[in-house]
Amino acid sequence: MSAPAIVSVTSVEVTPQSSTQSTLATATGTEASLPEFTPLPWTIAEIRAAIPARLFVRETERGLAYLARDILLAVIAWRLALHIDPFFRSQIVVGALGAVGTEMVRWVVWLVYWWFQGLIFTGLWVIGHECGHGAFSDSKVVCDVIGYVLHTLLWTPYFSWRISHHRHHSNHASMERDEVYVPKTRQDLGIPEDDSEPFDYEEFFGDTPIYTMYMLVRQQLFAFPAYLLWNVSGQKNYPKWTNHFNPNSVLFNKTQRNAVLLSNLGILGMLWAVRYACFRWGTSEVIKYYGVPWLCVTHWFIMITYLHHTDPKLPHYRNGEWSFARGAAATVDRNFLGWQGRFFLHDVAHFHVIHHFFPKMPFYHGPEATEHLKAFIGDQYHYSDKPVFKALWDNYNDCQFVDNTGDVLFYRDRRGQARYRPSPACRQ
């Protein structure tokens, strides 16, 4: 099937507006001037046919080589970090830098360790994620053993998370069925359906930058544990107390009970191991060498996934407008930390769109497969080279809620403004 001409909504970088501008979807104005969006017209089978079959081949030896590289890097970083405090306690260093200078440089070196060890740990988490999809190897046993060990070491209940993550991929961008990053609606926030009655958006969303930063930091450090424990940002239709540790949770069926219990056993084992390490080497040492890098994993993982799935130009669907292929296209590739994101994070952020179309495709085929995908779907492919920390701040402010009605939806910002609108056929 040849690619029809579709209105592009991906080549425009959205920039915030001043309050005096009224042409772009003000809460009280018209949205007729917004760029129109036409949903993806192709089926997943048609898109798969455009990707060479060799790019779907999983090479276990190649995956193991990446795993061995990451483990070696983690060991090297740890061994180097063992020398940080002894080095800066030496009389030669203290004499050269002075007491204050020595302490300042020592903490800078620790920050460097936490940055890189956090990235290395995140790369290991990504390999576990590959295992969860079956993309690491064509052997399910190999995938599950490696994925279980890696994710358990990084406080992720492997089988439980794999089950819900599979459902996320199967229903991505569906308002009714997606598992995570489900947008809040006007009704959820108590915002009127239309602007027939006055509503002060500035008063409602008027947080100070300091408070917004606090909320953003809280999201980055605690959102993933909160999702696992309390379904925060998950599907709103689930019962209260839905979580990833209760085998009777709505997230799982009866045949998955033992897998959930095995995941829980791994987390209990980690609780014992960390407690033992704290008694053996001291809590501060465990925090320095392991705890802070693990917090960095949580930060990077949430930042990557949030920016994959949250952007003013990404649609969400209801009812019959949703399809697997449309949901897969409703994500965005980003230039995430440049070479560091590509090397340490295994391209997880650079080539995420192709991953949503074909989750079992190994990450090392992502770059080439993405070129074929772009050539086929054209303007339906989303990419952003906006600096990721700026994108995080902008999207946190610009993606507040969606409308209660309609089958193709776009986020509205703190002023009630959208940046795109569905084509007329989708509004009928």
Side-chain angles (χ1 to χ4, degrees), residues 119-161:
L119 289 174
I120 295 166
F121 279 13
T122 306
L124 288 166
W125 193 96
V126 170
I127 289 180
H129 164 265
E130 287 278 296
C131 291
H133 283 292
F136 185 85
S137 169
D138 55 8
S139 168
K140 189 174 185 300
V141 173
V142 170
C143 286
D144 284 348
V145 170
I146 292 175
Y148 180 77
V149 171
L150 291 177
H151 273 194
T152 299
L153 290 172
L154 295 170
W155 295 93
T156 302
Y158 172 73
F159 293 107
S160 307
W161 174 84

Side-chain angles (χ1 to χ4, degrees), residues 78-351:
W78 168 67
R79 292 289 296 176
L80 289 173
L82 289 175
H83 297 284
I84 294 176
D85 286 345
F87 176 79
F88 286 101
R89 290 194 193 106
S90 69
Q91 293 299 318
I92 296 176
V93 175
V94 174
L97 299 177
V100 175
T102 298
E103 193 66 7
M104 291 177 61
V105 176
R106 183 176 75 91
W107 280 108
V108 168
V109 175
W110 272 113
L111 288 172
V112 171
Y113 167 74
W114 292 331
W115 175 275
F116 284 103
Q117 190 71 299
L119 289 174
I120 295 166
F121 279 13
T122 306
L124 288 166
W125 193 96
V126 170
I127 289 180
H129 164 265
E130 287 278 296
C131 291
H133 283 292
F136 185 85
S137 169
D138 55 8
S139 168
K140 189 174 185 300
V141 173
V142 170
C143 286
D144 284 348
V145 170
I146 292 175
Y148 180 77
V149 171
L150 291 177
H151 273 194
T152 299
L153 290 172
L154 295 170
W155 295 93
T156 302
Y158 172 73
F159 293 107
S160 307
W161 174 84
R162 185 187 71 179
I163 292 164
S164 68
H165 190 63
H166 173 75
R167 289 166 65 172
H168 158 66
H169 270 263
S170 299
N171 300 284
H172 178 243
S174 166
M175 289 293 293
E176 296 93 351
R177 298 184 302 278
D178 200 355
E179 290 290 324
V180 68
Y181 295 120
V182 180
K184 290 182 172 63
T185 63
R186 287 178 179 270
Q187 183 178 3
D188 292 332
L189 297 178
I191 298 173
E193 174 62 30
D194 54 39
D195 296 306
S196 58
E197 55 183 282
F199 185 80
D200 191 338
Y201 284 92
E202 184 175 351
E203 174 67 21
F204 189 85
F205 289 112
D207 297 332
T208 65
I210 293 176
Y211 181 76
T212 300
M213 178 62 73
Y214 159 73
M215 294 296 291
L216 192 53
V217 170
R218 189 181 73 163
Q219 169 186 287
Q220 292 307 114
L221 295 181
F222 304 115
F224 188 47
Y227 168 65
L228 296 175
L229 288 165
W230 301 294
N231 194 43
V232 172
S233 86
Q235 180 53 248
K236 298 185 290 293
N237 296 328
Y238 288 162
K240 192 177 181 180
W241 307 117
T242 295
N243 66 78
H244 282 70
F245 300 97
N246 180 2
N248 299 316
S249 169
V250 69
L251 295 171
F252 315 115
N253 60 46
K254 292 182 180 179
T255 65
Q256 297 164 337
R257 178 182 177 84
N258 289 339
V260 176
L261 293 175
L262 184 58
S263 298
N264 292 350
L265 184 63
I267 299 301
L268 288 173
M270 277 300 295
L271 286 170
W272 176 87
V274 169
R275 183 173 181 271
Y276 173 81
C278 290
F279 278 114
R280 177 69 175 80
W281 292 287
T283 301
S284 64
E285 299 299 289
V286 173
I287 292 173
K288 283 195 301 186
Y289 293 105
Y290 171 78
V292 176
W294 173 77
L295 275 178
C296 291
V297 174
T298 299
H299 158 69
W300 292 126
F301 168 68
I302 290 299
M303 185 173 178
I304 290 167
T305 55
Y306 179 79
L307 289 178
H308 280 160
H309 303 107
T310 309
D311 194 277
K313 64 188 172 189
L314 298 179
H316 284 77
Y317 299 95
R318 288 193 181 104
N319 304 316
E321 286 294 340
W322 182 89
S323 71
F324 178 86
R326 288 179 177 181
T331 184
V332 57
D333 286 345
R334 296 185 183 275
N335 181 4
F336 199 94
L337 302 183
W339 70 269
Q340 295 180 63
R342 299 209 60 186
F343 180 79
F344 292 110
L345 306 181
H346 305 296
D347 284 330
V348 69
H350 285 75
F351 304 105

Side-chain angles (χ1 to χ4, degrees), residues 59-71 127 136-137 142 146 363-364:
E59 304 170 43
T60 304
E61 295 80 6
R62 191 170 179 180
L64 289 171
Y66 279 107
L67 173 61
R69 185 202 73 179
D70 284 1
I71 293 174
I127 289 180
F136 185 85
S137 169
V142 170
I146 292 175
F363 70 87
Y364 41 79

